[in-house]
């Protein structure tokens, strides 16, 4: 029987919430897709469906009354390697950071700035994961999918994925029943490193010589050296979910137009802001949700077992024993105080299950 009933999801969400699923199905390989489709047309027909990878970007508010599908396909296939191009096809169930380590270990450029992002490869396109000046969309070639409602498998090319900051077509209602089965990435043997994100160059310069075998500039900027610097930066600010439950940034950084920015800066001249590179938002700026939350006095605060991380105000944490609702109540109160003080409504970054307004 491929479905495990009444399954604990505590080890499957990085917030470590002790919710249970009515049923849990692990896809070990692409052949299991047929079994899954049969299952969905049998006993689990018309039941709610949740695709759960590493659970690093979800907040579970209660037990899930339907079937949870967990991708477990972990293969990495080298599709092409010629001139400066390396094409990789990776199963959706591969751990993202494993893939980053695998690729930088071979000297491939492309994923090094995205080191240590929790979660599985199949989730990377969903919110278009991004960090330190690079987004998943920068190396994506295509995303393979199965529509679990119709049983049809298909692929979307990068330009059809509607990638933007923390957004893609996979977050829209159209994609409700789409399961990502594999991703194809384009990496390079040689590339200009992306080191413009504040703090990244400094972290590289301080690199412990033990992390970097030689000191010439090419090795100092090798994919492995950059990945090590990114890991160090992330570890200095972001809590390790294995020790302190969290789901990374709890809110997206807000985007504002020039007029909004002007009036916000008139009230708070020191507010950090950056121009947005996204062509769909010309003339917009990105603000720091962490800064806005910190200004409202939330950084390091704790309410019972739910809290705001002491090093980074954008991260909500479970100190042990919080419920999803405890975290959500805290998030709502943070959102209200930022709205009251700055007139900006923060949008949650994780998927809230069940959906809240
Ligand atoms: N800041 C504060 N107080 C805080 C936190 C941040 O004032 O408590 C301000 C500082 O000015 C800091 C600036 O915010 O310089 C930016 O902070 P940081 O470099 O940590 O980046 P972020 O905008 O808060 C985003 C992503 C992170 C990603 C980092 C690095 C979002 C929502 N978050 O955070 O992604 O790791 O940039 O690129 O875009 C995630 O999505 O889960 C995540 C961790």
């Amino acid at each position: 029987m491929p479905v495990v009933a009444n399954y604990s999801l505590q080890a499957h969400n990085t917030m470590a919430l002790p919710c249970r699923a009515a049923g849990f199905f692990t896809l070990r390989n692409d052949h299991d897709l047929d079994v899954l489709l049969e299952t969905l047309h049998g006993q689990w027909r018309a039941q709610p469906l949740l695709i759960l990878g590493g659970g690093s970007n979800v907040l579970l508010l209660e037990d899930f009354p339907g079937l949870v599908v967990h991708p477990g396909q972990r293969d990495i296939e080298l599709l092409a390697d010629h001139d400066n191009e390396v094409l990789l096809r990776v199963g959706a169930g591969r751990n993202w950071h494993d893939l980053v380590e695998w690729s930088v270990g071979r000297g491939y450029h492309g994923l090094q700035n995205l080191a240590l992002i929790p979660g599985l490869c199949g989730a990377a396109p969903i919110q278009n994961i991004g960090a330190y000046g690079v987004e998943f969309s920068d190396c994506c070639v295509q995303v393979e999918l199965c529509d679990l409602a119709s049983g049809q498998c298909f692929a979307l090319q990068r330009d059809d994925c509607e990638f933007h900051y923390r957004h893609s077509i996979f977050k829209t209602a159209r994609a409700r029943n789409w399961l990502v089965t594999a991703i194809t990435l384009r990496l390079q043997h040689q590339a200009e490193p992306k080191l413009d994100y504040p703090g990244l160059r400094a972290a590289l310069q301080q690199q412990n010589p033990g992390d970097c075998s030689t000191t010439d500039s090419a090795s100092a900027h090798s994919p492995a050296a950059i990945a090590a610097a990114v890991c160090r930066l992330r570890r200095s600010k972001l809590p390790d979910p294995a020790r302190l439950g969290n789901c990374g940034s709890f809110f997206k950084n807000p985007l504002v137009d020039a007029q909004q920015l002007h009036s916000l800066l008139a009230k708070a001249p020191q507010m950090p802001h950056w121009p947005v590179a996204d062509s769909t938002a010309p003339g917009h700026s990105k603000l720091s949700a962490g800064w806005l939350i910190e200004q409202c006095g939330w950084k390091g605060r704790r309410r019972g077992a739910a809290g705001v991380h002491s090093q980074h105000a954008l991260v909500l944490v479970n100190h042990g024993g919080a419920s999803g609702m405890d975290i959500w109540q805290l998030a709502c109160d943070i959102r209200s105080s930022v709205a009251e003080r700055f007139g900006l409504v923060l949008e949650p970054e994780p998927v809230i299950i069940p959906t809240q307004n």
Side-chain angles (χ1 to χ4, degrees):
M1 178 66 183
V3 177
V4 183
N6 189 26
Y7 188 90
S8 170
L9 299 176
Q10 191 156 19
H12 289 275
N13 72 103
T14 59
M15 197 53 107
L17 299 166
C19 296
R20 302 189 84 82
F24 190 86
F25 186 110
T26 302
L27 268 166
R28 293 156 305 173
N29 50 50
D30 288 344
H31 303 297
D32 278 355
L33 258 182
D34 291 337
V35 184
L36 174 63
L37 290 169
E38 273 168 35
T39 305
L40 288 171
H41 287 97
Q43 189 200 337
W44 294 92
R45 194 188 181 91
Q47 298 298 317
L49 176 70
L50 172 65
I51 297 159
L52 189 64
S56 57
N57 205 42
V58 291
L59 182 70
L60 300 166
L61 299 186
E62 54 194 47
D63 289 345
F64 188 72
L67 186 66
V68 169
V69 175
H70 177 64
Q73 319 93 301
R74 298 198 174 93
D75 292 347
I76 300 180
E77 261 175 88
L78 186 62
L79 299 181
D81 183 353
H82 48 74
D83 304 325
N84 192 28
E85 182 179 271
V86 176
L87 281 187
L88 295 180
R89 179 179 183 271
V90 188
R94 183 99 194 177
N95 175 278
W96 175 264
H97 183 65
D98 274 3
L99 171 67
V100 175
E101 286 200 312
W102 185 95
S103 72
V104 302
R106 281 159 182 76
Y108 301 154
H109 289 251
L111 304 184
Q112 60 272 33
N113 294 44
L114 301 176
L116 215 59
I117 295 182
L120 304 185
C121 290
I126 313 285
Q127 63 149 342
N128 186 21
I129 57 170
Y132 300 101
V134 174
E135 291 186 340
F136 171 80
S137 53
D138 296 334
C139 61
C140 174
V141 175
Q142 70 167 21
V143 177
E144 289 171 54
L145 303 142
C146 177
D147 182 337
L148 296 178
S150 66
Q152 279 198 330
C153 291
F154 59 103
L156 281 189
Q157 302 305 298
R158 191 220 357 219
D159 287 352
D160 298 324
C161 292
E162 300 176 10
F163 287 127
H164 306 299
Y165 167 64
R166 295 295 191 272
H167 183 78
S168 72
I169 192 171
F170 310 111
K171 281 193 150 187
T172 65
R174 227 179 111 190
R176 202 185 347 245
N177 297 302
W178 293 359
L179 169 75
V180 175
T181 51
I183 54 176
T184 301
L185 306 176
R186 177 178 288 116
L187 306 181
Q188 282 94 28
H189 287 290
Q190 297 296 331
E192 202 51 44
K194 292 188 181 158
L195 302 174
D196 289 338
Y197 195 90
L200 185 49
R201 261 177 220 280
L204 256 181
Q205 274 153 14
Q206 290 160 11
Q207 195 93 263
N208 180 336
D211 289 343
C212 186
S213 48
T214 63
T215 50
D216 65 77
S217 152
S219 303
H221 292 173
S222 69
I226 295 172
V230 166
C231 289
R232 185 168 309 115
L233 267 180
R234 288 184 73 95
R235 288 193 178 111
S236 70
K237 300 189 191 183
L238 300 170
D240 175 358
R243 291 162 188 232
L244 185 61
N246 75 88
C247 48
S249 303
F250 200 91
F251 296 101
K252 295 183 193 176
N253 285 330
L255 302 186
V256 292
D257 63 25
Q259 204 182 339
Q260 283 173 297
L261 180 65
H262 185 74
S263 54
L264 283 163
L265 287 175
K267 284 188 244 160
Q270 70 287 32
M271 181 178 288
H273 57 95
W274 296 269
V276 177
D278 196 323
S279 61
T280 57
H284 280 61
S285 296
K286 198 185 268 185
L287 306 178
S288 156
W291 185 88
L292 297 166
I293 296 168
E294 183 174 346
Q295 295 304 304
C296 293
W298 288 100
K299 192 168 182 171
R301 264 170 73 178
R302 189 171 166 159
R303 191 190 283 159
V308 180
H309 188 48
S310 55
Q311 302 295 316
H312 205 302
L314 194 47
V315 181
L316 302 192
V317 295
N318 177 2
H319 287 286
S323 69
M325 268 302 176
D326 295 336
I327 304 279
W328 180 242
Q329 274 308 325
L330 181 64
C332 291
D333 292 349
I334 291 171
R335 197 159 60 161
S336 302
S337 63
V338 169
E340 203 174 298
R341 172 131 176 224
F342 295 103
L344 292 164
V345 178
L346 295 180
E347 201 184 321
E349 200 205 272
V351 180
I352 315 294
I353 299 165
T355 310
Q356 306 289 299
N357 293 318

